[in-house]
Amino acid sequence: MSKDRYIEAKQKWAAKQKARGVTARSAPSADRLPPGQKLTAGFPVLDLGVQPEIAHADWTLALDGLVEKPTALDWAQFHALPQVEDVSDFHCVTTWSKYDCRWGGVAFTTLYELAQPKPEARFVYFTSYDGYSTNLPLAACLDDDVLIATSFEGAPVSREHGGPARVIVPKLYAWKGAKFVKAVTFLAEDKLGFWEVRGYSNTADPWTEDRYA
Ligand SMILES: Nc1nc2c(c(=O)[nH]1)N[C@H]1C(S)=C(S)[C@@H](COP(=O)(O)O)O[C@H]1N2
Ligand SMILES: [Mo]
């Protein structure tokens, strides 16, 4: 399927689910598996039909927007920052979940301290090397399980899963985590990302099945 047809199909699927009355629940689920999800043993790949190949020598991560210290980290500088590991569950809006994913990389809070966002910065906009984008309230990024991951299960994040570096936000549907991440931009006002402008929920809470806006 061509890239445009794929995006159109996913967008239509969201509209159809919404029309069917799949709407957010008012009370969160207490189960480990969020409502409407199925557990998968594998690891499906979801992208826009492009898996950019970025050599470590060409890779940079920009921290910009409303920050005191605009920063561009190269691969060595990124790895000189404190490295952490976190095991989390992964929930894709297309109804599959994967348990116990071990991600390694740099905590979002480390980047936050480095760039020093100004007080008016309340939102974060992520941009990727494949043209993808997604957005979050700054507060959601400051949980200690939010990482810019460069390793998965002890090995480098593969290209299909978003390497060299991808964002992991375990508490939200996985489209909120940008693969192939290139820039983290701090903003005063919210700015909708790729799927958010195409009908996906801006809040994306798996526990209340908050899939579509
Ligand atoms: N850059 C980029 N990031 C992305 C996407 C994408 O297409 N491009 N897809 C999102 C979606 S919808 C999901 S479910 C996860 C999928 O991650 P995976 O391919 O490693 O399973 O990445 C998210 N991040
Ligand atoms: Mo997804």
Side-chain angles (χ1 to χ4, degrees), residues 10 13 37 91-96 173-175 200 211-212:
K10 238 184 140 176
W13 183 75
Q37 295 293 106
H91 310 295
C92 173
V93 71
T94 60
T95 74
W96 57 270
Y173 283 123
W175 87 77
Y200 282 56
R211 299 176 196 266
Y212 318 104

Side-chain angles (χ1 to χ4, degrees), residues 64-67 118-125 136-138 185-191:
D64 57 22
L66 296 170
V67 294
K118 297 178 179 175
E120 57 268 35
R122 289 179 46 237
F123 296 92
V124 182
Y125 187 82
L136 284 170
L138 175 56
T185 305
F186 294 85
L187 302 172
E189 306 292 338
D190 203 5
K191 176 180 167 188

Side-chain angles (χ1 to χ4, degrees), residues 10 43-48 90 92-93 96 103 128 130 132 160-162 166 174-180 195:
K10 238 184 140 176
F43 197 173
V45 172
L46 280 102
D47 57 40
L48 304 177
F90 191 103
C92 173
V93 71
W96 57 270
W103 300 102
S128 298
D130 64 344
Y132 190 78
E160 56 179 4
H161 285 300
R166 73 175 297 168
W175 87 77
K176 287 290 185 183
K179 308 203 292 185
F180 323 109
W195 287 120

